[in-house]
Amino acid sequence: MLDILSIIDIRFVLLVFVGSIAGLFVGAIPGLSVSMATALLVSITYTWNTTDALATIMGVYVVGVFSGAISAILINIPGAPSSVVTTLDGYPLAQKGESYKALYYATICSFVGSVFGLVALWLLAKPVSNIALQFTPMDYFLLAFFGLATVGSVTSKNYTKGLMSAALGLTVSMIGLDPIMGTPRMIFGLSDLQSGIAAVPALVGLFGFSEVLSVVHDNHLSQVVLQMTKMKVSFKETLKHWKLSLYTCTIGTLIGALPGAGGPVAAFISYNEAKRIIKNPEVPFGEGAVEGIVASESSNNACIGGALIPMLTLAVPGDAVTAILLSVFYVHGLKPGPMFIKESPEMFSAILAGGFIACIALLILGLLVAPKISKVISVPKNILLPIVVVLCVVGSFACNNRLFDVILMFIFGLIGFLMRQHDYPAAPMVLAIVLGGMMDSNFRRAVSLASSTDNMLASMFGKPITIVLTAVTIFIILSNIPFVKNLFARKAAKNSTL
Amino acid sequence: MEKQKRFNKNIYEGFFFMFIGISMIIYSITSYSNSFNKDWSQSPYAFPLLIATLMCFLSLSLLLQGIKQSKYTETKKEVDYTAKPNNKGVIIIVAMSAIYYAALSLVSMPMYTLTILSLNISISTFEVATIIFLFAMLLYLGLRNKLELVLVPIVTTISLSIAFRTLLYVLLP
């Protein structure tokens, strides 16, 4: 506790608040995403000291995830993917003239969810790190592979396309000098490719420029904003839902800790759980049930702490934003992993301190500012999109100060757009770009170590952790193969008829 | 609804990724054979080969899915005309961005610095190119208010220039 408090000073608090305000607007404006803002921030905060950069980014992350609910409630367009489920009850409630109530619940539950997730991170990071210390190179490879296999299954309706997106990301990550021997790979004579493809321009392109192209392609340039009238919501009424909130917070933290799953999946599962548990809500689900907002917002914000657990202890990001956060660490010369908390305790404290202050900022901004920003989120997209393109150019250039990164950003934007059009999710590709180097070096270390032993297979897969990771990865892959899925579905149908 | 045979797009995608996968396998094997290191466990081409093989399996899966789906695909007669895709718009935005990039990389202007209320405002290639790019984009995206058409590009560019160049010390293109 003292470690966390020692990090906090006025400058730190101010930077978290600046990040939080940026997160509030970025998350609330459809077309701007938290991932995009974080990716842009990586390049801007490149020259800052690490604590300042983390303070700002935690502010954007925590409040940005929440503020997606504002546009979900007021214009029925989720500002962030994790707020998709909030539209189901938030918008109908707003249509009844109770948009303030919907936003109030979203704020309180997001606050509870964020605090819950961060406390889980605080308590669980060290035990997970201790387990991770026993990991071999093969375990790291399998863990990253498991992450990609999972993200492929939860981000796309078609599992093959999810995995293909990850394979493309791994291919991109292999461009440049190889991490062990420094041999140039797939550079095709281009000297600019020797240093590899930087994660930032790829991320900015995949999330920023591709979003602009998608909005133009789908003609989604107009939106209607519902008016907000202030109303009183009693604290007692809010407390009625504490059990559901804590339950969905637990779901959110656990799902957040799974590599790749993230807020949208957590919110969806929590919403279904809420529907299952609460048989007779005051207002039916889908027509403005407060319980729907409670479940969705508690769980998606609890994902933040959950997603940071594998990112900090295993260097395996839980979602797209933590994948970008991982690149912030690398940019600042930090190495997340089992030794991270021991080697850089001040950075771990900075993340927690930034997260907790951002929770307070969330509460203040959510209750006082959010109800008044309906005018800002109604900024016409035909004004917003050109500015986003310029921000993408600035963000991708600022990373290495070279124009080649700008053209890479445009290329990745185009790739991201084509992927969206053909139902290939971008998240597995992002995770693969970030994890590719680590997978490559660990795979080769594992093979190299095993090749010097008598029994190569036993050396590679003989340890208990490796066996568990291999089994889990195989299970994830097999359970997503259509033939196996159909087999289980048929069995389940047979059992239910008996 | 009518049932008819149709070539599924998964088949095209399957062929495309199969081509990438096979190209990567050929690249990995030829690069490996040309390198002095003849041990796969140490080779930098082992991982690309592994991913290329995975990609080939995945593309095979896409091909099979496509063939299965194209046998009897129900083609929808009803088309949602309210959400007509704007392919032309995408091409124009990409073209505008390419011109913007070309201007940033090829045009070199001397930097002028204006000092207003102790704030340094630099005007160079980035500022001029960005104002023109924003104006063209806004015009294309349907903004017709003349005041907004002039003010939005100028205010945005100068704000970005002050924020990044002056306050955050971030280099601009």
Side-chain angles (χ1 to χ4, degrees), chain A residues 167-188:
Chain A
L168 280 176
L170 288 174
T171 309
V172 168
S173 76
M174 285 184 286
I175 295 172
L177 300 180
D178 93 277
I180 292 183
M181 297 170 106
T183 312
R185 290 185 303 194
M186 293 191 273
I187 62 166
F188 309 108

Side-chain angles (χ1 to χ4, degrees), chain A residues 381-448:
Chain A
K381 282 192 181 169
N382 54 0
I383 291 180
L384 199 66
L385 296 182
I387 299 171
V388 170
V389 177
V390 176
L391 283 173
C392 289
V393 169
V394 173
S396 52
F397 176 82
C399 169
N400 289 320
N401 296 329
R402 57 174 196 167
L403 272 166
F404 182 71
D405 284 336
V406 178
I407 204 141
L408 279 181
M409 181 277 293
F410 281 130
I411 292 170
F412 275 96
L414 212 54
I415 293 172
F417 167 72
L418 290 173
M419 283 171 70
R420 282 181 196 211
Q421 295 307 310
H422 293 88
D423 301 324
Y424 287 84
M429 189 172 184
V430 169
L431 282 184
I433 290 173
V434 175
L435 292 176
M438 182 268 260
M439 281 181 81
D440 186 2
S441 50
N442 280 304
F443 172 73
R444 279 163 62 194
R445 267 187 213 121
V447 176
S448 197

Side-chain angles (χ1 to χ4, degrees), chain A residues 145-307:
Chain A
F145 192 59
F146 166 71
L148 295 180
T150 317
V151 74
S153 72
V154 293
T155 52
S156 174
K157 283 178 195 167
N158 187 331
Y159 187 53
T160 312
K161 291 190 174 183
L163 278 187
M164 189 61 93
S165 168
L168 280 176
L170 288 174
T171 309
V172 168
S173 76
M174 285 184 286
I175 295 172
L177 300 180
D178 93 277
I180 292 183
M181 297 170 106
T183 312
R185 290 185 303 194
M186 293 191 273
I187 62 166
F188 309 108
L190 289 171
S191 57
D192 283 318
L193 283 177
Q194 270 205 343
S195 54
I197 289 183
V200 175
L203 301 176
V204 173
L206 284 170
F207 287 109
F209 191 58
S210 76
E211 179 74 37
V212 173
L213 295 179
S214 297
V215 172
V216 171
H217 180 264
D218 299 339
N219 281 318
H220 285 159
L221 288 163
S222 56
Q223 55 211 20
V224 181
V225 184
L226 293 177
Q227 288 304 307
M228 175 150 337
T229 42
K230 198 169 180 180
M231 59 190 292
K232 208 177 175 186
V233 187
S234 74
F235 190 63
K236 204 175 164 187
E237 196 185 329
T238 319
L239 275 179
K240 263 189 351 193
H241 306 285
W242 71 272
K243 276 185 191 170
L244 177 67
S245 180
L246 288 184
Y247 177 56
T248 49
C249 280
T250 315
I251 294 176
T253 309
L254 291 174
I255 290 174
L258 279 178
V265 181
F268 197 74
I269 292 175
S270 298
Y271 188 79
N272 279 339
E273 277 298 290
K275 270 170 88 174
R276 191 181 62 82
I277 296 166
I278 298 158
K279 300 284 181 206
N280 299 307
E282 281 176 29
V283 179
F285 280 98
E287 292 173 27
V290 165
E291 291 83 353
I293 302 170
V294 171
S296 164
E297 287 303 309
S298 300
S299 61
N300 67 23
N301 269 70
C303 272
I304 295 169

Side-chain angles (χ1 to χ4, degrees), chain A residues 43-45 47-48 141 145 158-161 163-164 167-168 170-171 173-174 178 180-181 183-188 209 212-214 216-221 380-387 389-391 393-395 397-398 401 403-404 406-407 410 414 417 421-424 436 439-440 443-445 447-448 451 456 482 486, chain B residues 9-10 13-14 16-18 20 24 27 35-37 39-52 54-62 65 68-69 82-87 89-91 93-94 97-98 100-101 104-106 126 130 133-134 137-138 140-143 148 152 156 160 164 168-173:
Chain A
S43 43
I44 295 166
T45 58
T47 50
W48 298 13
F141 170 75
F145 192 59
N158 187 331
Y159 187 53
T160 312
K161 291 190 174 183
L163 278 187
M164 189 61 93
L168 280 176
L170 288 174
T171 309
S173 76
M174 285 184 286
D178 93 277
I180 292 183
M181 297 170 106
T183 312
R185 290 185 303 194
M186 293 191 273
I187 62 166
F188 309 108
F209 191 58
V212 173
L213 295 179
S214 297
V216 171
H217 180 264
D218 299 339
N219 281 318
H220 285 159
L221 288 163
K381 282 192 181 169
N382 54 0
I383 291 180
L384 199 66
L385 296 182
I387 299 171
V389 177
V390 176
L391 283 173
V393 169
V394 173
F397 176 82
N401 296 329
L403 272 166
F404 182 71
V406 178
I407 204 141
F410 281 130
L414 212 54
F417 167 72
Q421 295 307 310
H422 293 88
D423 301 324
Y424 287 84
M439 281 181 81
D440 186 2
F443 172 73
R444 279 163 62 194
R445 267 187 213 121
V447 176
S448 197
S451 62
M456 200 170 159
N486 291 341
Chain B
K9 67 175 184 175
N10 279 351
E13 290 165 17
F16 174 71
F17 288 118
M18 180 68 85
I20 296 180
M24 266 173 70
Y27 171 81
S35 68
F36 62 91
N37 181 3
D39 180 7
W40 269 114
S41 67
Q42 302 277 334
S43 172
Y45 303 104
F47 194 64
L49 187 67
L50 184 80
I51 302 306
L54 174 75
M55 208 179 253
C56 284
F57 277 116
L58 292 173
S59 51
L60 208 61
S61 166
L62 271 179
Q65 282 176 31
K68 205 174 168 189
Q69 285 165 6
T82 54
K84 211 176 170 187
N86 182 7
N87 290 321
V90 172
I91 294 167
I93 300 286
V94 172
S97 304
Y100 179 42
Y101 173 79
L104 289 175
S105 57
L106 301 175
F126 171 77
T130 304
F133 171 73
L134 283 175
M137 279 275 277
L138 290 168
Y140 173 69
L141 291 173
L143 193 71
E148 283 180 350
V152 171
T156 308
L160 285 174
F164 286 93
L168 297 167
Y169 302 106
V170 171
L171 286 178
L172 292 174

Side-chain angles (χ1 to χ4, degrees), chain A residues 72-88:
Chain A
I73 290 165
L74 293 178
I75 55 175
N76 203 24
I77 300 171
S82 51
S83 302
V84 171
V85 180
T86 310
T87 55
L88 299 178

Side-chain angles (χ1 to χ4, degrees), chain A residues 131-143 338 438 442-443 445-446 449 459-467 469:
Chain A
I131 298 169
L133 275 173
Q134 291 158 30
F135 276 31
T136 60
M138 194 63 197
D139 298 333
Y140 275 108
F141 170 75
L142 284 170
L143 193 72
M438 182 268 260
N442 280 304
F443 172 73
R445 267 187 213 121
L449 285 170
S459 163
M460 281 168 82
F461 298 100
K463 288 197 171 182
I465 296 174
T466 322
I467 293 170
L469 283 170

